[in-house]
Amino acid sequence: MAFEESILGCRKEITVQHEEICPCSNEENRTDNCTICNNTGKVLKKFIYDISIPRGIFSGQVLKIKGKGNVGINGGENGDLVINIQVKQKKGFARTGQDVVYYMTISFPQAVLGAVINVPTAYGTVNCEIPAGIKPGEQLCLAGYFFKNC
């Protein structure tokens, strides 16, 4: 998923394959020599789900959708669909917890005299005031432009 989608949350359509009960397993279609499932009673079937990705999700987090996994054993409930989230990196940005860091280089005159520069955020570009005399490596916080609880 895209970096911005992980910040803002989104909806995604995913396609998965999981086991379902073969039609040969019900009383009306029972057969001893099923060519669909090779007498296992289970077949792989493709499903499409529209899922909601919550705001602020991280790479490596897991979403579970109850009852949308493989067919249950001996007539039991279906298992859960487990989705492992992977977020693509975005050049110039890094994420530490709920903080998003944007790395940029400013000129010597901007550092000495101060400046107003454009900074990209999850909600669009904003003006950021660079104070005069800022030191190399110093960080400025733009509260609320990625997560509403900066």
Side-chain angles (χ1 to χ4, degrees):
M1 100 177 1
F3 183 79
E4 291 85 354
E5 291 174 325
S6 73
I7 301 293
L8 300 173
C10 63
R11 296 200 68 78
K12 287 281 190 185
E13 191 173 88
I14 63 169
T15 303
V16 296
Q17 279 191 326
H18 60 77
E19 293 177 340
E20 284 291 302
I21 296 174
C22 182
C24 77
S25 296
N26 69 34
E27 293 298 324
E28 297 169 7
N29 299 328
R30 187 162 307 273
T31 179
D32 290 334
N33 193 15
C34 181
T35 57
I36 298 171
C37 69
N38 293 323
N39 300 324
T40 64
K42 297 177 184 176
V43 292
L44 278 180
K45 190 173 175 185
K46 190 182 290 188
F47 293 88
I48 298 173
Y49 298 113
D50 181 44
I51 61 169
S52 177
I53 307 290
R55 288 177 12 147
I57 200 158
F58 290 92
S59 272
Q61 279 189 286
V62 172
L63 294 178
K64 286 186 182 181
I65 303 175
K66 186 166 178 54
K68 300 295 183 185
N70 286 332
V71 68
I73 298 172
N74 295 325
E77 291 183 14
N78 282 12
D80 297 338
L81 174 62
V82 178
I83 303 165
N84 186 2
I85 300 297
Q86 295 300 314
V87 178
K88 294 177 187 168
Q89 295 294 318
K90 183 168 181 166
K91 187 176 179 177
F93 289 87
R95 185 162 170 197
T96 306
Q98 294 292 44
D99 294 332
V100 176
V101 178
Y102 175 65
Y103 297 97
M104 65 180 311
T105 302
I106 60 173
S107 69
F108 180 73
Q110 288 173 319
V112 172
L113 302 173
V116 175
I117 57 171
N118 292 328
V119 176
T121 73
Y123 301 99
T125 302
V126 298
N127 290 329
C128 177
E129 188 174 331
I130 305 293
I134 193 167
K135 309 261 186 299
E138 195 170 334
Q139 294 182 358
L140 301 174
C141 181
L142 296 176
Y145 286 100
F146 282 93
F147 301 105
K148 291 300 183 183
N149 60 350
C150 177

